[in-house]
Amino acid sequence: MTHTTLSPTRTCHESSASTYSRRLAIIPVEAQGVRVRDADGRWYLDCLCAAGAMSLGWNHPVVTEAIQRTLSSGAPLLTLDFHHPLRDAFVQDLLAILPRGLADDCVVHLCSPSGANAVEAALMLAEIATGGRDHVAVQGGFHGCSRAARGVSSGGGLRDQPVALSPAVHFLPFPQEYRCPFSLGGNEGTALAISALEHLFGSPHSGLRAPASVLTEFVLGEGGVIPAVPAWAQALRRAATTRGIPLISDEVQAGMYRTGRPWAFEHCNVEPDMIAISKGLGSGVPIAVLVIRRQFDVWGEGAFTGTFRGNSLAFAAASAVLRYAASAGLAGHVADMGAQLRQGLCAIATEAAIIGDVRTIGLMAGVEIVDPDAGNDARGVAAPAPWLAAAAQQACLAEGLIVELGGEYNNVVRFLPPLTITDAEISDVLDRFHTAVQRVQSRVDSHSLTEFA
Ligand SMILES: Cc1ncc(COP(=O)(O)O)c(C=O)c1O
């Protein structure tokens, strides 16, 4: 199978930081639902969906109608933080899906339209509110590429750049079953992770100065689709409460129904003090907000502003997404489709030695690719095989399926399909992934991976 090759004229003015266009040789020119059409006419099933931003899929009618209605209404396109009926309606729609206690006791801060900016706002506000300077974040967390957001992200790829990182941060181990940081997994691994966090907050020798915040994703997204363990999340909540500092939930990727509930923290029975929201909120239209429990809303006037934070198209699109989610029963649909995706991926895993683990929550799925011939790594788990994951991504593309990579070793094939995906489309995704995995597995078995080199 051949793919469209990127023309030199297209790439020669591109920053060397570009990423997707290097790995996925397509030029998307048309898109609808879960499907994207390449410039050469071929349609792909898209389980990357603009890094999870297309919550309702490409060009969902409720979103495009909301945009068109707003455009033809004569509404001002950019309202800074002026009040406007579209903004007020959006805030009400958002409050409707927050936990009641928080909805009654919060403000919605408009950020510049990126997840990183919402995280920046949270970190800065936490410092102002508490007087603390240190932040506690988690190993495996990813929060964006601005200076502060990358400063609290643990991945080496970001941190190894020759740039100063701020703020001061302590990274806690994130409990997990497969690549448990303590090589234990299960309740024992969780107990040790809880001990580590209690020690960090409790010991005068832990190195933690007066902390400003605790920040986590409740499902590691870029970190490889790892849901938080409720007991650990509750310990994190207790530590924040005891220290009087905010618990910040980064819901940029796992929020907005991605996990089958409006917010990922709901799976852990905890309530955060700040919530960073972006990506799926506008289903393709840039918008980011920070929900702040009132006790921490101590900004001075104009302390955190941005020109492009009052966009009427974004308010209209986000309201449309929120209303559609409620009226169409999106949470239940995501749970059902997620179960089907999980079942199919687990079935594929049983016959493929290159698959070490399958992790899913709602419509967020990660398939851990390992080297079946390399034996176990230092943690007693099959060695990660990022080159095989890259080969699997290319094999998927050849089958007409777009997937993402991530994880601690960039060896996790990730699926972030639209939340509106149907069961027939899930079956199609699974069939194509199955074929792609079989191709890579047979190359591994015959020791000839050059096809994907
Ligand atoms: C959990 C999480 N937080 C923050 C961000 C950063 O969002 P943005 O790329 O919009 O700045 C991302 C992006 O992938 C993310 O996954």
Side-chain angles (χ1 to χ4, degrees):
M1 183 64 60
T2 56
H3 303 300
T4 308
T5 41
L6 301 182
S7 74
T9 46
R10 182 174 171 276
T11 54
C12 69
H13 295 294
E14 201 158 304
S15 150
S16 54
S18 68
T19 163
Y20 296 106
S21 58
R22 287 169 196 267
R23 290 188 270 120
L24 296 164
I26 55 163
I27 298 176
V29 292
E30 188 185 346
Q32 191 62 53
V34 67
R35 293 188 163 76
V36 167
R37 185 170 66 81
D38 181 32
D40 72 2
R42 185 177 189 198
W43 284 91
Y44 289 79
L45 288 174
D46 185 7
C47 287
L48 168 62
C49 271
M54 304 308 304
S55 49
L56 300 193
W58 294 99
N59 301 331
H60 194 282
V62 299
V63 176
T64 52
E65 277 161 24
I67 293 170
Q68 280 157 355
R69 206 180 325 116
T70 306
L71 278 176
S72 54
S73 73
L77 278 189
L78 193 58
T79 54
L80 302 173
D81 57 16
F82 286 111
H83 281 275
H84 183 277
L86 286 170
R87 170 189 167 173
D88 296 343
F90 157 68
V91 169
Q92 291 309 314
D93 291 332
L94 180 61
L95 293 178
I97 64 163
L98 292 178
R100 219 35 294 140
L102 188 58
D104 292 342
D105 184 30
C106 75
V107 297
V108 177
H109 182 96
L110 305 178
C111 299
S112 295
S114 75
N117 195 255
V119 171
E120 292 264 357
L123 297 170
M124 203 177 287
L125 182 58
E127 291 179 25
I128 296 168
T130 63
R133 289 290 172 269
D134 286 14
H135 297 269
V136 176
V138 299
Q139 292 167 5
F142 174 74
H143 304 285
C145 285
S146 67
R147 199 181 284 270
R150 87 170 49 208
V152 288
S153 302
S154 69
L158 283 179
R159 300 188 72 77
D160 290 346
Q161 303 291 321
V163 293
L165 290 171
S166 63
V169 58
H170 298 253
F171 290 104
L172 284 171
F174 194 90
Q176 52 199 279
E177 193 59 36
Y178 191 65
R179 290 194 193 282
C180 171
F182 308 105
S183 305
L184 288 169
N187 291 341
E188 283 176 288
T190 301
L192 277 188
I194 293 173
S195 293
L197 89 82
E198 287 174 346
H199 183 76
L200 179 73
F201 282 98
S203 163
H205 273 229
S206 72
L208 184 66
R209 298 177 299 177
S213 82
V214 182
L215 164 72
T216 190
E217 293 169 86
F218 282 85
V219 180
L220 300 184
E222 303 302 306
V225 191
I226 304 175
V229 177
W232 172 86
Q234 287 156 18
L236 210 57
R237 174 67 274 184
R238 279 196 301 277
T241 305
T242 307
R243 287 300 193 103
I245 60 175
L247 173 63
I248 305 167
S249 179
D250 181 342
E251 297 277 339
V252 169
Q253 186 167 141
M256 286 301 294
Y257 295 91
R258 173 61 61 192
T259 65
R261 300 214 184 151
W263 311 110
F265 59 76
E266 293 180 54
H267 295 274
C268 293
N269 275 327
V270 297
E271 216 174 87
D273 303 304
M274 297 189 197
I275 311 175
I277 311 166
S278 187
K279 281 199 199 277
L281 182 56
S283 197
V285 185
I287 181 169
V289 298
L290 181 67
V291 172
I292 306 164
R293 198 181 290 283
R294 276 185 194 277
Q295 79 184 87
F296 295 109
D297 179 36
V298 296
W299 294 118
E301 183 184 327
F304 197 95
T305 64
T307 305
F308 288 105
R309 68 210 164 95
N311 187 297
S312 299
L313 297 182
F315 292 143
S319 273
V321 172
L322 289 161
R323 289 174 195 183
Y324 176 86
S327 66
L330 195 62
H333 179 76
V334 170
D336 290 348
M337 294 302 101
Q340 190 187 331
L341 181 61
R342 177 178 182 75
Q343 199 180 21
L345 292 175
C346 289
I348 293 168
T350 56
E351 57 180 59
I354 59 165
I355 297 183
D357 194 25
V358 172
R359 297 183 289 271
T360 71
I361 179 164
L363 282 170
M364 206 170 173
V367 175
E368 179 120 6
I369 306 294
V370 297
D371 183 348
D373 301 324
N376 288 352
D377 69 5
R379 281 184 247 171
V381 189
W387 66 94
L388 292 182
Q393 186 185 41
Q394 293 310 314
C396 284
L397 199 66
E399 294 305 314
L401 174 65
I402 304 172
V403 292
E404 168 71 307
L405 296 181
E408 187 175 355
Y409 300 97
N410 214 30
N411 68 315
V412 177
V413 175
R414 302 205 306 129
F415 297 77
L416 291 165
L419 307 182
T420 48
I421 195 167
T422 64
D423 48 7
E425 289 164 344
I426 295 260
S427 299
D428 204 351
V429 165
L430 288 167
D431 286 346
R432 294 180 198 209
F433 183 61
H434 190 192
T435 308
V437 167
Q438 282 177 326
R439 281 185 61 202
V440 177
Q441 183 68 59
S442 70
R443 296 282 155 179
V444 170
D445 294 342
S446 62
H447 302 284
S448 60
L449 264 172
T450 44
E451 182 191 353
F452 302 104

